[in-house]
């Protein structure tokens, strides 16, 4: 649920299927140890674990992490409050998340347009 001004601060999410924890850290502006902690606190956040217990996040995980980051760092929620917000029905139709998805898609379409030119 990032505000449009904050979307510009975070890099666009590349068109990939899986992201390593370091990539997600860079994409979301959060350190890897914070991501590992959030996995314990937010049941919705479950990256795929492969050999060597390496975490691989999918696009929806990255978007969820950005939403968690916004709730905690920008809107002042506690961990428990953010967890409750994400579990509520209001979080599903949250217009801020929809705006984030639309902004991301516009960026990706602009990148594709540049490639095609």
């Amino acid at each position: 649920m990032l505000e449009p001004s904050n979307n510009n601060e975070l890099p666009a999410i590349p068109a990939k299927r899986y992201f390593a924890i370091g990539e997600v850290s860079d994409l979301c502006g959060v350190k890897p140890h914070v991501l590992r902690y959030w996995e314990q606190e937010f049941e919705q956040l479950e990256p795929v674990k492969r050999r060597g217990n390496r975490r691989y996040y999918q696009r929806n995980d990255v978007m969820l992490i950005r939403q968690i980051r916004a709730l905690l760092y920008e809107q002042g929620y506690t961990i428990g409050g953010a967890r409750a917000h994400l579990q509520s029905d209001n979080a599903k139709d949250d217009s801020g998340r929809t705006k984030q998805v639309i902004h991301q898609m516009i960026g990706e379409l602009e990148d594709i347009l540049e490639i095609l030119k």
Side-chain angles (χ1 to χ4, degrees):
M1 181 155 124
L2 297 173
E3 297 172 18
S5 62
N6 295 326
N7 278 338
N8 295 334
E9 295 173 12
L10 295 173
I13 302 171
K16 291 174 54 175
R17 184 171 174 109
Y18 294 105
F19 301 90
I21 194 167
E23 292 174 302
V24 176
S25 174
D26 293 339
L27 289 171
C28 297
V30 180
K31 298 208 176 199
H33 70 273
V34 174
L35 294 173
R36 290 188 292 272
Y37 174 70
W38 286 355
E39 287 175 28
Q40 297 171 357
E41 296 296 323
F42 297 95
E43 64 185 27
Q44 302 94 326
L45 187 57
E46 283 190 273
V48 177
K49 289 189 182 176
R50 297 211 176 135
R51 65 187 156 136
N53 213 21
R54 298 186 85 183
R55 292 164 170 81
Y56 290 96
Y57 296 86
Q58 295 182 10
R59 178 181 209 78
N60 59 342
D61 293 325
V62 175
M63 293 175 66
L64 176 63
I65 291 167
R66 284 185 172 190
Q67 185 178 14
I68 292 169
R69 178 186 182 274
L71 289 171
L72 296 175
Y73 296 169
E74 296 161 16
Q75 296 180 15
Y77 279 77
T78 62
I79 294 280
R83 187 184 309 121
H85 179 80
L86 290 172
Q87 290 174 347
S88 73
D89 291 335
N90 294 337
K92 292 184 177 138
D93 7 302
D94 199 335
S95 65
R97 187 165 185 186
T98 304
K99 288 178 185 177
Q100 178 187 2
V101 171
I102 291 171
H103 180 74
Q104 182 67 33
M105 290 175 70
I106 289 171
E108 291 173 3
L109 289 171
E110 288 173 347
D111 292 343
I112 291 171
L113 182 62
E114 288 299 314
I115 291 171
L116 292 174
K117 284 185 179 179

